Amino acid sequence: MSEPIRVLVTGAAGQIAYSLLYSIGNGSVFGKDQPIILVLLDITPMMGVLDGVLMELQDCALPLLKDVIATDKEEVAFKDLDVAVLVGSMPRREGMERKDLLKANVKIFKSQGAALEKYAKKSVKVIVVGNPANTNCLTASKSAPSIPKENFSCLTRLDHNRAKSQIALKLGVTADDVKNVIIWGNHSSTQYPDVNHAKVKLQGKEVGVYEALKDDSWLKGEFITTVQQRGAAVIKARKLSSAMSAAKAISDHIRDIWFGTPEGEFVSMGVISDGNSYGIPDDLLYSFPVVIKNKTWKFVEGLPINDFSREKMDLTAKELAEEKETAFEFLSSA
């Protein structure tokens, strides 16, 4: 057995965490022989609920869970962390402007970034889920200058998985027969799900998705909007936002950081754009196709970009630049 790792989940009394904690505790994220000290952070009014979550985790009797700590204090939560999964954020209330949402979240992620800087290991891997995830991630990273910015990523794997499954459903195959879809840009409705480089296994052969589907108008229209608006569709149907699928995507994202991506496959995650070869401005937290090895991600280079893609990639970059500008106005005053 290896030494236990310290893993923090914030927003730990919420519904995404409720689906996520069991996966972390049962070894399906960090492996079956990796003991874990699980730290749960939420706001003070949620401590009663969090206590119930703690009881349930104890009652799961998971052999890998060496300790579970529930707290509302950042100095306890962020101490000596190996991994921080920042799920908690201020949700958008009805009638709330995106600007107000940004302002509330800048405050949270500035504070958590500072706590990472002060208490966590410098090698900590930080995964931001709470929305607006890209900009929250950039805020946290800027607030923790001594932690390498490559250690920060945000979740666009849910969009990636949604894109994969839409293609699989359309072709009547399973999702693992589809690989190398890409989510470019922001985890918002401007994201660009791109299948120009995606492959699907049909009758034992790998074919390009465009070639397999022979339905360009669906791929350039309804497919894109379905993926972009899937979160809203789930809320409309369930009256709650995606939780099970979000938790599954977080598990996928972290497992890939921990164990690397399979040979010949790439995944989407929001990472710092510095040095990319796709004409996306530096210093944005933008979703790219990446490969991961030894817990380090690299951009997938040299994918040809057509005019249709270029326009969509630039549009979502523009939105991120605007979000960043708004957030940084608040950041300097927060």
Side-chain angles (χ1 to χ4, degrees), residues 74-101:
E74 285 184 345
E75 62 273 21
V76 176
F78 286 87
K79 186 125 187 68
D80 297 334
L81 291 180
D82 295 287
V83 179
V85 192
L86 308 182
V87 182
S89 64
M90 165 75 87
R92 193 168 183 167
R93 308 246 189 274
E94 218 162 322
M96 197 182 204
E97 288 296 317
R98 199 167 167 85
K99 216 170 167 158
D100 303 327
L101 184 70

Side-chain angles (χ1 to χ4, degrees), residues 314-329:
D314 290 344
L315 183 80
T316 190
K318 186 172 172 280
E319 181 183 61
L320 277 170
E322 286 163 7
E323 270 189 30
K324 173 186 158 178
E325 202 182 333
T326 309
F328 283 19
E329 281 167 29

Side-chain angles (χ1 to χ4, degrees), residues 166-181:
Q166 286 302 311
I167 299 296
L169 286 165
K170 190 84 169 166
L171 284 166
V173 297
T174 59
D176 64 348
D177 291 327
V178 181
K179 70 176 195 185
N180 298 353
V181 303

Side-chain angles (χ1 to χ4, degrees), residues 92-208:
R92 193 168 183 167
R93 308 246 189 274
E94 218 162 322
M96 197 182 204
E97 288 296 317
R98 199 167 167 85
K99 216 170 167 158
D100 303 327
L101 184 70
L102 269 170
K103 190 173 185 174
N105 280 298
V106 163
K107 210 174 143 187
I108 296 169
F109 286 86
K110 181 182 182 178
S111 172
Q112 296 192 345
L116 283 161
E117 174 78 6
K118 193 167 171 188
Y119 302 111
K121 291 182 180 171
K122 295 306 172 198
S123 58
V124 64
K125 300 290 185 197
V126 184
I127 297 92
V128 176
V129 179
N131 283 319
N134 300 59
T135 301
N136 288 345
C137 188
L138 191 61
T139 301
S141 172
K142 294 282 181 196
S143 308
S146 72
I147 296 170
K149 40 188 166 186
E150 296 73 33
N151 289 20
F152 287 80
S153 59
C154 82
L155 186 78
T156 55
R157 185 59 168 267
L158 178 52
D159 310 301
H160 179 102
N161 288 350
R162 285 165 171 163
K164 243 171 104 144
S165 83
Q166 286 302 311
I167 299 296
L169 286 165
K170 190 84 169 166
L171 284 166
V173 297
T174 59
D176 64 348
D177 291 327
V178 181
K179 70 176 195 185
N180 298 353
V181 303
I182 300 169
I183 303 295
W184 297 100
N186 198 0
H187 175 65
S188 74
S189 58
T190 67
Q191 61 171 269
Y192 169 43
D194 175 7
V195 292
N196 283 293
H197 313 284
K199 301 261 189 285
V200 58
K201 204 185 279 167
L202 288 178
Q203 284 99 43
K205 280 212 303 282
E206 274 197 357
V207 214

Side-chain angles (χ1 to χ4, degrees), residues 17-83:
Y18 193 73
S19 288
L20 173 67
L21 293 169
Y22 180 69
S23 296
I24 294 176
N26 75 4
S28 44
V29 178
F30 296 103
K32 300 289 182 194
D33 51 5
Q34 177 57 67
I36 290 168
I37 295 166
L38 192 52
V39 189
L40 312 176
L41 176 71
D42 216 311
I43 54 175
T44 312
M46 297 304 290
M47 288 313 283
V49 176
L50 194 56
D51 221 25
V53 175
L54 178 68
M55 287 190 252
E56 280 207 70
L57 278 167
Q58 291 166 343
D59 298 349
C60 286
L62 294 162
L64 290 172
L65 277 189
K66 293 301 159 202
D67 196 8
V68 184
I69 299 155
T71 183
D72 56 358
K73 293 179 177 54
E74 285 184 345
E75 62 273 21
V76 176
F78 286 87
K79 186 125 187 68
D80 297 334
L81 291 180
D82 295 287
V83 179

